[in-house]
Amino acid sequence: MKIANKINALFFVVLTSSFLFSGCSLPENEKKDVLKILEIREELSNNGQINKLAVLLTDDFPNRKEYLDQLKYRNFYFTEYEYSINSINLASYNPLTKRVMAIVDFDLTFKVPEDPAATILFGRVENVNLVKEKIGWKIDSIEEMKESGRKIAPQLVHDIFYPLDTRKTALSNNDFQLFESVIHNDFSSRNELLSDFKENSEVFSEINYGLKGRRLISVSTDEKNAEVIQYFDLAFKTKEGGISEKLENQKEVVSLKKSDDGTWKIIGGLR
């Protein structure tokens, strides 16, 4: 009877301890180190530095060689690739085993040569398990939730980006009609925008919109509205005296809407 009581007491202690460990929060200094590892993985993944990324993985990482080989093949096959973290939730931590599980929400962009534009996966989720070794935190396993997120097909991405590229061409060639063709009728200050374009055409002999980067940041569920962030330099030369000026490291968030004829046009965000 006494032995049974001791066993029951021991079971209660173990059970209670497991609840305490699962609810124990990761110390702040350790949290920063874990987040840093995940951020470094993001950077190395996008830069294709697979050998450096391999250092972040434990020796016991499941199918370690196959996983790294797939990353190498990806860099040869895809013409575009971007893994972009949206949020990281440190869901559980065990101080005894020095293990933490992070739930990572991310977007994935990739383009195969035969597609007109990239495929974009919004809001994908993966569980990343990390363990602290003698030299610091390492990634022990990655489990991607295959059914998570939302897929934006390459043709839709192409159609959304098309008016932005057309606008860029119109600026370079001072082509008013081309510029007007991609501005939606519902643009709140459409007349003012078109008037400004005409005035600029009279003043500047050359306008160069140097696109440095672009990212689709949202598409409505009915696929009729979208937002795109663009990074660019803007250079222009006046007709009188040929004086050149340049605005560097500019950013804009452009809103687009699908018209009744099925084409996408710009409805907001232009300055």
Side-chain angles (χ1 to χ4, degrees):
M1 194 70 174
K2 289 182 179 179
I3 294 176
N5 289 337
K6 288 182 179 179
I7 292 174
N8 289 335
L10 179 61
F11 175 78
F12 177 78
V13 170
V14 171
L15 183 63
T16 304
S17 298
S18 66
F19 282 118
L20 289 174
F21 293 149
S22 63
C24 183
S25 61
L26 189 65
E28 194 62 33
N29 62 318
E30 300 281 20
K31 182 186 295 185
K32 291 179 180 178
D33 291 341
V34 168
L35 295 177
K36 189 64 178 178
I37 290 294
L38 296 175
E39 290 168 0
I40 293 173
R41 175 202 169 207
E42 176 185 32
E43 180 182 354
L44 296 178
S45 179
N46 289 330
N47 292 338
Q49 299 184 56
I50 308 307
N51 290 335
K52 290 184 178 180
L53 194 151
V55 178
L56 303 180
L57 309 181
T58 64
D59 293 338
D60 295 329
F61 188 96
N63 302 313
R64 190 176 191 275
K65 183 180 183 302
E66 291 82 352
Y67 175 77
L68 293 171
D69 285 343
Q70 285 298 319
L71 296 183
K72 292 177 182 178
Y73 299 148
R74 179 196 69 199
N75 290 331
F76 288 115
Y77 182 59
F78 294 138
T79 57
E80 292 179 31
Y81 182 86
E82 182 181 7
Y83 167 87
S84 179
I85 294 176
N86 299 316
S87 65
I88 300 172
N89 175 26
L90 300 182
S92 65
Y93 168 59
N94 189 324
L96 286 184
T97 59
K98 296 291 184 180
R99 292 180 176 273
V100 63
M101 185 185 78
I103 301 175
V104 181
D105 181 292
F106 65 98
D107 296 338
L108 193 63
T109 301
F110 58 89
K111 184 181 184 302
V112 298
E114 59 268 27
D115 283 343
T119 298
I120 298 177
L121 301 175
F122 283 134
R124 294 283 280 185
V125 177
E126 61 185 359
N127 295 334
V128 182
N129 292 290
L130 302 97
V131 60
K132 188 172 184 181
E133 298 185 342
K134 290 182 179 179
I135 60 173
W137 288 94
K138 284 194 173 186
I139 298 172
D140 197 42
S141 68
I142 300 172
E143 180 187 5
E144 188 171 337
M145 304 295 105
K146 298 296 184 182
E147 302 303 318
S148 63
R150 177 183 170 209
K151 180 180 178 180
I152 309 298
Q155 188 59 54
L156 179 55
V157 175
H158 171 271
D159 293 346
I160 292 171
F161 287 169
Y162 183 78
L164 299 174
D165 291 331
T166 303
R167 170 209 175 200
K168 181 177 180 291
T169 301
L171 287 171
S172 299
N173 297 317
N174 277 337
D175 190 328
F176 175 78
Q177 289 185 333
L178 190 61
F179 182 80
E180 183 183 29
S181 70
V182 296
I183 307 302
H184 202 285
N185 289 333
D186 293 339
F187 197 107
S188 60
S189 55
R190 190 174 191 273
N191 292 335
E192 180 183 350
L193 181 68
L194 296 177
S195 177
D196 288 344
F197 185 93
K198 286 183 176 180
E199 290 181 10
N200 289 335
S201 298
E202 294 174 0
V203 175
F204 302 113
S205 61
E206 184 179 317
I207 300 177
N208 182 15
Y209 183 100
L211 182 66
K212 300 171 70 174
R214 172 189 289 162
R215 184 182 175 197
L216 181 64
I217 54 178
S218 71
V219 179
S220 62
T221 53
D222 61 3
E223 297 186 349
K224 292 184 178 180
N225 291 273
E227 280 191 323
V228 177
I229 187 169
Q230 298 195 126
Y231 303 91
F232 62 98
D233 294 335
L234 190 64
F236 42 91
K237 183 182 293 185
T238 60
K239 290 182 178 180
E240 295 181 1
I243 300 174
S244 299
E245 295 187 39
K246 189 173 183 179
L247 299 174
E248 296 183 323
N249 301 320
Q250 302 295 298
K251 180 178 74 172
E252 62 182 357
V253 177
V254 184
S255 300
L256 301 103
K257 183 178 180 180
K258 195 172 186 179
S259 302
D260 294 336
D261 63 1
T263 61
W264 284 82
K265 295 189 177 184
I266 299 169
I267 196 171
L270 302 186
R271 292 180 290 177

